[in-house]
Amino acid sequence: MKKIFLCTSLACALFSATININEAPSNVKRINPTQNDEILSYSSSIQNVKKSVVNISTSKTVTRNTRSAFDDFFNDPYFKHFFDFNMPQQRNNQEVVSSLGSGVIISKDGYIVTNNHVVDNVDKITVTLPGSDTEYQAKLIGKDSKTDLAVIKIETSNLNAVSFGNSDELLEGDVVFALGNPFGVGFSVTSGIISALNKDNIGLNQYENFIQTDASINPGNSGGALVDSRGVLVGINSAILSRSGGNNGIGFAIPSNMVKDIAKKLIEKGKIERGFLGVTIAPLQADSKKAYKSQEGALITEIQKGSSADLAGLKRGDLVTKVNNKVIKTPTDLKNYIGTLEPDQKITIYFERDGEFKELSFMLKSDEVNNTSTQESLIEGLTLKNLDASDRTKLKITNDINGVLVTKVKEKSLGQETGFKANDIIIAVGQLEIRNLNDLNTILKHKKGLLKVWVYRNGSANLLILK
């Protein structure tokens, strides 16, 4: 018995559709990049730059609180009741902590660039040159935590200074090498490619424009060199993303152009002075793009009162598309570019407002203006400041969170005992919301008994009891 299948118009249309698949040539020729008497090698490319990568050893003295095995016994309430004897619960022991890192020589007379986290808050910095056992005591010239860069100097001459490449010309897929002192085993070099460019929102630094590479970057490589196949510096190794602490093929380096700019300023002034715009910015979303002619830029969502942007006349909803000659495609473009400008520098901002393209020229204020509101708190041991647009960007805080930012907590103070931590935001005391330092100080001056202090920390509100 025959089975008959009927083809409906829809079914026929589905099964009669065709697609053209692009087929790669199958008869390809495989070639050997070397001859029988040749070896493919980049050894000559890195011979010179090897002389520019140094080992950095640091040490600092820390005080650790330790407990004796008998402390709990001697401080037991029953023991105290019968013997009327008090024992200290903790003992303070001083300990010297050492760590290792890498650095890159940038001048013949001893200037070396490295990561800020390699040399931050240390008592002693020791540099060992490649191929030598001689140790040099280094002086900290300047550091910038916002880009995680620092410059140190040793007193010697005729060093092999690295050659800087133009990191703006890098392309994904370029071959690169990471040089440094991983795990303290001594100099080594690893290879890979550039996996991605202009990586931001990693959460490592305030100003991020990372080169991502799969060249192995491990602990101790921090501050070392990332070079191209010519042996030219294109970045400073900074960090890895890893669950185990080892390399997982996701490493980040600070671009050489940023390194060069920061290093020059640190050598000349010992610190970085940045212009401050005073805005909170966000990218255009799918829906918001419909309201603007420009489809790229940095959308202003909040303006700090009294800031450069406020005095110049910028408004919420303005879409910044260009600053001076720098085209702004993303909020990171705007943040990083403003971060390269110095205070009291005149700039011209181009923006879109209500379908019209406008421009404003004005002078940038210093980012230190933000800290004029910083003051010692009436809560002993705390240093506080008014929460502003820059803090929101750095801490990734949404506009609906208002309060006072805790910038420092002194050890063994009332603030520390209460449970305050740096970067806490005091949002309320009891049922009263806190919007600025004046609000908080007014309440604290009239406090009686215990106070319920609410702080915003790690995305949620936490209750602290202030005595």
Side-chain angles (χ1 to χ4, degrees):
M1 181 178 177
K2 287 187 176 181
K3 293 182 179 180
I4 300 175
F5 295 93
L6 298 178
C7 181
T8 65
S9 59
L10 176 59
C12 290
L14 288 174
F15 288 102
S16 64
T18 60
I19 182 172
N20 293 322
I21 303 295
N22 291 329
E23 300 284 352
S26 58
N27 297 323
V28 294
K29 182 180 180 181
R30 289 178 170 80
I31 62 171
N32 189 333
T34 63
Q35 301 300 319
N36 291 333
D37 58 348
E38 297 175 341
I39 295 177
L40 182 63
S41 174
Y42 289 94
S43 179
S44 60
S45 298
I46 64 171
Q47 280 303 312
N48 191 54
V49 72
K50 282 171 59 177
K51 304 173 185 177
S52 303
V53 180
V54 303
N55 292 341
I56 297 177
S57 173
T58 63
S59 63
K60 63 179 177 180
T61 301
V62 298
T63 301
R64 299 190 186 279
N65 293 324
T66 59
R67 295 176 61 91
S68 165
F70 298 100
D71 285 344
D72 290 335
F73 174 75
F74 285 121
N75 285 284
D76 184 274
Y78 291 99
F79 184 91
K80 289 182 176 181
H81 174 75
F82 287 108
F83 293 94
D84 191 25
F85 185 78
N86 287 318
M87 287 285 290
Q89 284 190 327
Q90 295 180 331
R91 297 179 177 86
N92 294 330
N93 292 333
Q94 289 191 330
E95 179 182 345
V96 177
V97 178
S98 300
S99 60
L100 297 171
S102 304
V104 180
I105 300 170
I106 60 174
S107 72
K108 293 183 178 180
D109 57 347
Y111 285 104
I112 297 168
V113 67
T114 185
N115 287 138
N116 173 66
H117 73 258
V118 171
V119 297
D120 190 32
N121 295 323
V122 300
D123 301 324
K124 184 179 180 181
I125 306 172
T126 303
V127 171
T128 305
L129 299 178
S132 172
D133 294 329
T134 304
E135 295 183 344
Y136 295 86
Q137 299 306 310
K139 176 184 177 182
L140 179 64
I141 299 301
K143 59 183 181 178
D144 179 38
S145 61
K146 295 180 179 180
T147 57
D148 193 27
L149 289 170
V151 174
I152 60 177
K153 189 178 189 302
I154 58 175
E155 295 304 323
T156 187
S157 59
N158 297 322
L159 297 177
N160 190 80
V162 73
S163 296
F164 277 76
N166 184 356
S167 54
D168 289 342
E169 296 178 351
L170 294 175
L171 298 174
E172 294 170 356
D174 284 356
V175 173
V176 288
F177 301 92
L179 290 77
N181 178 28
F183 296 108
V185 299
F187 175 83
S188 69
V189 55
T190 56
S191 66
I193 63 169
I194 292 177
S195 306
L197 295 165
N198 306 314
K199 301 292 286 187
D200 56 10
N201 293 320
I202 306 300
L204 298 172
N205 305 330
Q206 183 171 344
Y207 294 95
E208 296 182 337
N209 185 26
F210 286 117
I211 302 167
Q212 182 182 329
T213 178
D214 63 348
S216 293
I217 298 175
N218 287 296
N221 266 110
S222 293
L226 187 74
V227 302
D228 61 19
S229 58
R230 302 170 297 169
V232 169
L233 185 76
V234 296
I236 293 295
N237 303 328
S238 183
I240 58 173
L241 286 184
S242 171
R243 293 182 179 179
S244 64
N247 178 266
N248 286 339
I250 304 178
F252 297 102
I254 303 167
S256 56
N257 288 355
M258 180 183 288
V259 174
K260 182 167 56 177
D261 176 66
I262 297 297
K264 284 183 175 180
K265 291 177 180 177
L266 289 177
I267 292 171
E268 292 171 0
K269 298 183 178 180
K271 63 178 181 178
I272 300 298
E273 296 177 318
R274 290 184 172 89
F276 178 69
L277 193 57
V279 296
T280 301
I281 48 181
L284 284 177
Q285 304 296 337
D287 291 338
S288 56
K289 285 183 178 181
K290 300 175 183 178
Y292 293 88
K293 295 178 181 178
S294 302
Q295 298 298 288
E296 295 177 326
L299 180 65
I300 297 177
T301 60
E302 184 179 345
I303 297 179
Q304 181 180 333
K305 187 175 181 180
S307 65
S308 305
D310 181 39
L311 298 177
L314 288 170
K315 298 180 179 179
R316 178 186 287 116
D318 288 347
L319 180 66
V320 179
T321 57
K322 186 178 177 182
V323 180
N324 296 337
N325 294 320
K326 171 67 176 179
V327 176
I328 304 300
K329 296 183 178 181
T330 66
T332 300
D333 289 343
L334 179 60
K335 181 178 68 173
N336 287 345
Y337 181 68
I338 294 296
T340 66
L341 304 178
E342 296 186 355
D344 302 323
Q345 183 172 341
K346 186 177 181 180
I347 65 169
T348 301
I349 284 189
Y350 302 84
F351 58 98
E352 181 182 340
R353 177 189 294 170
D354 298 330
E356 297 183 3
F357 293 95
K358 300 176 178 290
E359 64 179 81
L360 286 172
S361 296
F362 55 92
M363 302 292 287
L364 273 181
K365 289 185 176 183
S366 168
D367 62 350
E368 294 182 355
V369 171
N370 291 326
N371 297 324
T372 56
S373 59
T374 299
Q375 64 179 45
E376 294 297 320
S377 168
L378 293 179
I379 304 173
E380 189 260 327
L382 298 188
T383 302
L384 307 174
K385 70 183 292 287
N386 288 323
L387 185 65
D388 57 35
S390 177
D391 300 320
R392 293 182 186 280
T393 301
K394 179 180 178 181
L395 301 175
K396 299 179 181 178
I397 300 169
T398 56
N399 294 336
D400 59 325
I401 301 298
N402 295 292
V404 174
L405 178 65
V406 179
T407 60
K408 292 181 182 179
V409 181
K410 188 177 180 180
E411 290 187 2
K412 300 179 181 179
S413 64
L414 174 61
Q416 186 184 58
E417 292 175 359
T418 303
F420 287 99
K421 296 182 179 180
N423 293 330
D424 280 350
I425 301 168
I426 300 175
I427 56 176
V429 176
Q431 300 299 318
L432 301 175
E433 293 188 3
I434 302 298
R435 299 186 64 87
N436 52 50
L437 285 166
N438 288 335
D439 290 349
L440 180 61
N441 289 337
T442 300
I443 295 174
L444 293 177
K445 286 178 181 178
H446 299 89
K447 73 171 184 175
K448 293 181 180 180
L450 299 179
L451 289 181
K452 296 179 180 178
V453 181
W454 293 93
V455 298
Y456 183 81
R457 179 191 299 166
N458 297 328
S460 62
N462 295 264
L463 177 62
L464 302 178
I465 304 299
L466 180 64
K467 298 178 181 180

